[in-house]
Structure formats: C-alpha cells, structure tokens
Amino acid sequence: MKTALLSNSDTLASVTADWDWNVSGTNERLLQEINVKLQFNLLDEPLIRTRLVAGGEPRSYSLPGLLAALAHDEVRDFRALRPHQRHPWHAFLVQLAAISLHNVGTDEPFDDEQAWKAALLTLTPEHPDGAAWCLVTPCDQPAFMQAPVPEGKVSTWKNELRAADELDMLVTSKNHDLKAARIRQAGVDDWIMALVSLQTQEGFLGQGNYGISRMNGGFASRPAVGVVPNGHWGARWRRDVRKLMANRADIVEQQGLQERNGLALLWLQSWDGNASQAFASLDPFYIEICRRIRLICSDDGATIHAVTTGTKVARIEAKTRNGITGDPWTPIDVAAEKALTIGAEGFHYRLAAELLFGSKFRSPPAQVIHADDGDEGLVILTQGVTRGQGKTEGYHERRVPVSRTVRKLLLQKQTDRLARVAGERIHAIGQIRSVLWTALAALFDQGADNDKFSDSAKDKATTFVKVFEQGEDAQFFNNLNEEIESSEPNNVHLQWLLAMADRAEAILIKAFDAGPQSCEQRYRARSAALSRFHGGLRNSKALPVLADHFRKSASDKELNHEPA
C-alpha cells in the first residue's frame, strides 16, 4: 500500500515518507489534510435548523438568512440548541450583527439575506471565498470559530473528538448530569452550537486548556442578565443589537478598547498557542475563541470530527481584569471590582433580587429597561453555568416577570421601594425557615427540649427545609409583584406571611412520617415540634408582623368570648 501511494505522487511520497504506519488514526487525518477543500459554508448553505413561529414549521437557514429571519422575528427555536448553549448562541448572534452593522456604518439591522451576507464578507476581506465562514478548511486558513494553524498541519494533535457534545464545554460527573458523547449522529448545526458554546463560555480545565476572558477567573462562569421583550428569539435579538450599538462608545471608553480597526473575530488570526492577544487591541463587541480546534470531514462528507491541542497561554491577556470586559450581559460587583460568578444555587431569589433592585452590582446594558421595550410581557432573564474545578454544577436559568409598576420604577431608576419590599420578604423567609428548621430538628431528635440537636436530626431538618425554601424561591417574584401592584400592600404582605406559615407547617406535618414512630416518642416529638413552630411564629423579635397579627386575633377572640 505504501509503495502504491508513493508511485502516484512525488508530493504525496515526500509527505508520507516518515509516517508511522501503525498509527492508523494519524494516517487517516493526514490524508484528509492533503486535499482538503472548503466545506459547510455558513454564508451560502442552510445548515442551521430552526422551527418557525408560524405553526412550528421546520426551516433551515444560512447564517445571513438566519439574521434576516431574526430581523422579522420568524424563529421560534433552534432544533440543535441545548439549554446551556442558549446564551452563548444569542450573544454570538447579537455581537456578530453589531460588529457587522458598525463595520458598514449603519445602526439598523438589515432585513435582507443578501445584505447580511455582504456585511459579513466585509469582516473577512482577506478571505473573499468565505473560508472564514466554513466549518472545514485547509488548516492554514481560518474556519468558523477556528484559528488558522501556523504549523500548517494538525496530524500531530492527539485529542480527537468524534461526538459534537464531546467538544462542548460541559463537564459531567460520572454521566449523572448529562450523558457524554451522545450526539454521534450529529447534524452540522450540532457542531456549530458546540463550537460557539466552547469557544465563548469555557473556563480553565487543566494545564493547556485555558478559558475565556469574559469571566472572573478560570473556575468562574459567564453569567448573563438581560431584558426579554414580548415576542420570540428575534425580538430579543433585535433589542440587544440596538442596545449594543447605543453603548459602543461607552464600552470603548470604559474598557480601553478600539473604536476603529480593533480585532473583532478572533478566529481570523493565526494562533500557535504560545502568545496571547492584548486586550486593548480588541473591538468592544469582540467574539473570542479560547481553544485551538479544527474540524475535519470524512472523504464522503458524511461525518465530522474534531481535533484539539493545548496551549501555553490564554488566547486573550485579560487575567487582571477579573472578567470586566464590557460584556453587555455581565453584572459587575462594584465593591470587589469583578464580574459576577454564580454558585451552585444559581440565581436564587436572594441573588436575583440583589441583581434587579440592589446596589451591589452594576447592571449591564442588556439589563437596563428602556421605554421602547414595551409595556407588557417584559421578563428579566438570568442564565449561566456554574463551574468548579474540573466540573460543572448545573445550568441555571430564571425568568423574572416585570409588572407594570415594577417596570415604571426600574425605568425611572427608583428602586428604593423595590429593594425594601424584596428585603423584607427575604428576611421573612429566612425567619420562617429558621423557625421551621428548629421545629424539624426537635421532631427528629425525639422532642429534645434544648437546641443541642444531634447531627442526624440537623441533617434531616435541613433536607426538609430545602423543600420549603425552594417553594418560596419559585414564587418569590410573582408574590412580590402582587404586593407592589396592590393598593393595600400591607394587607397583601400579611396574607403572604400567613400563607407562607401555612406552607411551612404543612412541610412540618409531612415530616411526621419520617420522625419517631413508637407511641410515646412519636407524641412527644410531634407535640414539641408543633410547640416550637407556633411559638416561633409568635416571636415579636423575629416576626413582628405575624406576632402582632396573632396577638390581635387572640384579643379579639377573648373579647368575643371565643376560645383562643
């Protein structure tokens, strides 16, 4: 076989002379490199599968066609898009549109596919054949989200990935979160989504695998907070494109970036993995890559796989910035001077309330409500993947409905009332949580009359209390909106407290089945738990509003000669 190949081509013979014929994967890859051609051109081919708003009809688009469809708000969802990829994909589409529009000198998104194609091509003047928008190209040329390889070959790259989700940024624990390497019969857009996800939201994953600039450290995350107007994918996309264009000058000034001729698409430049790109050289809307990756296609064009290799440095030199890069969706911790990093609890009600109404974080441009966002159906969307050392701790997404009065107060930047009401509710949940926990611990410790509970009782109490807090978390903002919109907010607040106390008591009673079961211990434990629970609700220091209500109710019953 070797002799036959050598006799067919002197060039091929010179390339293959030093092959190790026992490494079949490497040989196959090098053969594929020799006569590689441009494949899967996003500018011309309908590679991105969607479902339309009208009837859920499936339709595939090229990248310019998709941007035009978004301008008309025709797209309901993307068939290949996984939940944790939603924000990276949205951000990519918004940033790409904003870069293109600024480059051609207009502020308004095009509604025509050919106009978008022409605008995208102006971003890659050195590649008029569209190579920079193809998934597969000769490795010394850029490919979509893949930097050119200055060495001119990838046959020495050892890490080979056959499934699209292997390329993605998720790290799962023993396949418990998501099964790994499932997408082996991948569509082309599965690879597109995985590329965008990895290159724009991945963090540090061991030596040679560095993360993006738009997060506070390698083990942090790229969180997103933004307003979602009434409509579909295109409505939010169009809104955010406009917000980026309106904030361009501020981002340039605040971050020290380039107003003109900054590097916007980082996959266009060759990268050998030994040097980082200076942050100050970038466009304010830059779309980054963080890993050296190349996609390779089989000879018959039926399958794609990826090869990767490590680097000695991060792609962008931004370590000292702590994630403060001008990302339009990332809140900034003002005192700590660093980007928000979400923990394992995600956007729980306490953090969400602080992000929306508090002063700890500086809101990103996409989160700021404007008059042209509409009066009805506004939602503030929070998204992010919690990362850790060599693991992920879940994808977190929360939609906070914005009522009319809340919208008005946010629009006028009058958040004191919102922060006060939210703070009172957070405090009340914490107090009832504490009362419930003490009652549960007493139950599981056989009615102990002191607060020195056993570790087992504490653990069981904590398990049941989590159920209570998760329930309050789920309805926190709906309940808050009801109080804000009411003409009798004090009464609404009291009714909420009473309902919450009832929900907490229901959890306590349900826990009776897990408590002591022998006759004497059972009655003593249950009696002690209920006594602690109701006594805690009537503690004027902990819950003054509830305590005052119960005191007045008892007084009224005595006056009416009713049993208390």
Side-chain angles (χ1 to χ4, degrees):
M1 180 178 178
K2 183 176 181 181
T3 304
L5 282 172
L6 288 172
S7 63
N8 286 335
S9 170
D10 292 339
T11 302
L12 186 58
S14 64
V15 172
T16 59
D18 296 324
W19 283 5
D20 177 359
W21 292 94
N22 292 320
V23 187
S24 59
T26 301
N27 294 338
E28 178 187 357
R29 192 186 307 162
L30 191 50
L31 277 169
Q32 290 169 333
E33 284 184 52
I34 294 171
N35 293 311
V36 70
K37 56 186 178 182
L38 305 185
Q39 293 175 280
F40 307 117
N41 189 331
L42 274 73
L43 295 184
D44 298 317
E45 300 178 50
L47 302 174
I48 303 168
R49 294 172 294 166
T50 75
R51 287 187 298 177
L52 301 184
V53 172
E57 175 189 347
R59 180 172 297 179
S60 297
Y61 289 101
S62 66
L63 186 54
L66 174 60
L67 295 175
L70 290 172
H72 293 287
D73 200 15
E74 296 175 351
V75 175
R76 187 174 80 181
D77 55 32
F78 296 86
R79 295 176 63 187
L81 193 66
R82 307 170 86 192
H84 70 279
Q85 298 169 342
R86 289 172 187 157
H87 175 65
W89 183 237
H90 170 74
F92 166 78
L93 293 172
V94 171
Q95 290 168 269
L96 181 62
I99 291 167
S100 301
L101 295 174
H102 175 74
N103 191 55
V104 298
T106 185
D107 292 333
E108 196 64 22
F110 305 116
D111 56 9
D112 175 72
E113 180 175 352
Q114 291 306 312
W116 277 115
K117 180 179 178 180
L120 293 176
L121 279 173
T122 63
L123 299 178
T124 59
E126 296 180 359
H127 305 281
D129 58 355
W133 304 101
C134 294
L135 286 185
V136 178
T137 70
C139 63
D140 61 348
Q141 296 184 37
F144 178 72
M145 299 299 289
Q146 306 159 66
V149 180
E151 304 97 303
K153 62 180 181 179
V154 295
S155 53
T156 58
W157 292 14
K158 303 300 184 184
N159 192 16
E160 192 162 356
L161 307 172
R162 294 284 175 176
D165 53 332
E166 283 185 288
L167 179 65
D168 203 349
M169 56 81 63
L170 285 185
V171 180
T172 60
S173 175
K174 296 182 179 178
N175 281 338
H176 290 170
D177 300 324
L178 287 174
K179 299 298 182 183
R182 295 186 308 164
I183 311 178
R184 291 191 175 274
Q185 301 298 321
V188 175
D189 52 350
D190 287 305
W191 289 99
I192 293 171
M193 304 302 178
L195 265 174
V196 171
S197 176
L198 176 78
Q199 296 285 44
T200 65
Q201 72 168 342
E202 180 61 292
F204 179 74
L205 196 62
Q207 186 174 4
N209 297 299
Y210 296 93
I212 63 169
S213 62
R214 295 188 187 274
M215 62 169 58
N216 174 34
F219 300 120
S221 55
R222 185 189 181 186
V225 183
V227 172
V228 180
N230 210 355
H232 303 278
W233 263 85
R236 183 187 177 208
W237 170 84
R238 193 177 187 105
R239 175 201 184 268
D240 283 1
V241 169
R242 288 173 171 167
K243 302 313 173 193
L244 260 67
M245 301 296 287
N247 284 275
R248 182 181 177 88
D250 289 341
I251 297 173
V252 168
E253 181 180 357
Q254 293 165 6
Q255 307 302 328
L257 295 166
Q258 299 296 312
E259 169 59 29
R260 284 284 175 186
N261 302 319
L263 181 58
L265 310 179
L266 270 86
W267 72 83
L268 298 182
Q269 286 197 343
S270 292
W271 186 31
D272 61 5
N274 296 319
S276 299
Q277 184 74 29
F279 180 78
S281 68
L282 303 178
D283 184 271
F285 304 149
Y286 71 93
I287 300 173
E288 65 184 308
I289 60 172
C290 63
R291 300 288 173 84
R292 297 186 79 197
I293 299 166
R294 296 297 298 198
L295 296 188
I296 297 173
C297 188
S298 61
D299 291 338
D300 60 4
T303 60
I304 297 173
H305 65 278
V307 290
T308 71
T309 191
T311 65
K312 292 184 178 180
V313 295
R315 184 67 188 99
I316 297 173
E317 180 49 63
K319 184 177 181 180
T320 60
R321 302 194 65 84
N322 297 325
I324 303 178
T325 63
D327 189 328
W329 297 274
T330 299
I332 303 300
D333 187 322
V334 177
E337 297 184 338
K338 61 183 181 181
L340 166 69
T341 296
I342 57 174
E345 289 184 291
F347 296 97
H348 53 77
Y349 65 99
R350 298 182 301 280
L351 174 59
E354 181 63 45
L355 288 170
L356 270 61
F357 313 135
S359 58
K360 180 179 180 179
F361 295 96
R362 182 168 64 249
S363 299
Q367 183 187 332
V368 179
I369 290 179
H370 294 270
D372 59 0
D373 288 330
D375 297 329
E376 298 288 347
L378 287 185
V379 169
I380 295 180
L381 175 64
T382 65
Q383 298 166 291
V385 176
T386 301
R387 302 188 69 261
Q389 296 192 25
K391 62 182 179 179
T392 54
E393 295 181 341
Y395 169 69
H396 303 279
E397 180 174 309
R398 182 172 199 140
R399 292 177 177 267
V400 179
V402 180
S403 68
R404 277 182 169 270
T405 302
V406 171
R407 173 191 175 278
K408 179 181 177 181
L409 293 172
L410 289 174
L411 190 60
Q412 297 173 346
K413 295 181 170 51
Q414 297 178 2
T415 58
D416 289 350
R417 180 188 171 197
L418 298 173
R420 175 181 57 78
V421 174
E424 289 171 353
R425 285 173 169 260
I426 290 170
H427 176 76
I429 292 173
Q431 291 299 317
I432 291 186
R433 180 193 185 281
S434 178
V435 168
L436 176 61
W437 186 92
T438 302
L440 286 164
L443 171 71
F444 293 125
D445 213 7
Q446 301 179 7
D449 56 3
N450 57 56
D451 290 338
K452 294 182 179 180
F453 304 115
S454 67
D455 290 341
S456 175
K458 292 178 182 178
D459 290 343
K460 291 177 182 178
T462 299
T463 298
F464 278 88
V465 158
K466 284 182 180 178
V467 176
F468 163 75
E469 192 162 22
Q470 287 169 354
E472 299 309 311
D473 188 348
Q475 54 189 326
F476 181 86
F477 287 99
N478 286 330
N479 290 335
L480 184 144
N481 282 338
E482 184 179 353
E483 179 175 340
I484 294 294
E485 296 295 327
S486 176
S487 59
E488 298 180 342
N490 290 339
N491 181 57
V492 170
H493 188 81
L494 174 60
Q495 296 305 315
W496 169 72
L497 286 173
L498 291 170
M500 181 166 55
D502 288 343
R503 291 190 291 269
E505 185 171 10
I507 288 174
L508 175 60
I509 293 173
K510 186 176 182 179
F512 285 174
D513 292 339
Q517 296 301 310
S518 64
C519 290
E520 181 179 349
Q521 291 178 345
R522 178 176 61 194
Y523 291 121
R524 185 176 75 174
R526 294 180 180 182
S527 175
L530 287 170
S531 176
R532 281 179 175 259
F533 181 77
H534 289 291
L537 294 182
R538 289 160 174 76
N539 184 339
S540 59
K541 292 183 179 180
L543 294 161
V545 175
L546 268 185
D548 185 57
H549 170 77
F550 288 134
R551 180 182 59 78
K552 288 180 179 179
S553 295
S555 297
D556 290 344
K557 288 180 179 180
E558 289 180 4
L559 289 174
N560 294 322
H561 304 289
E562 296 178 6

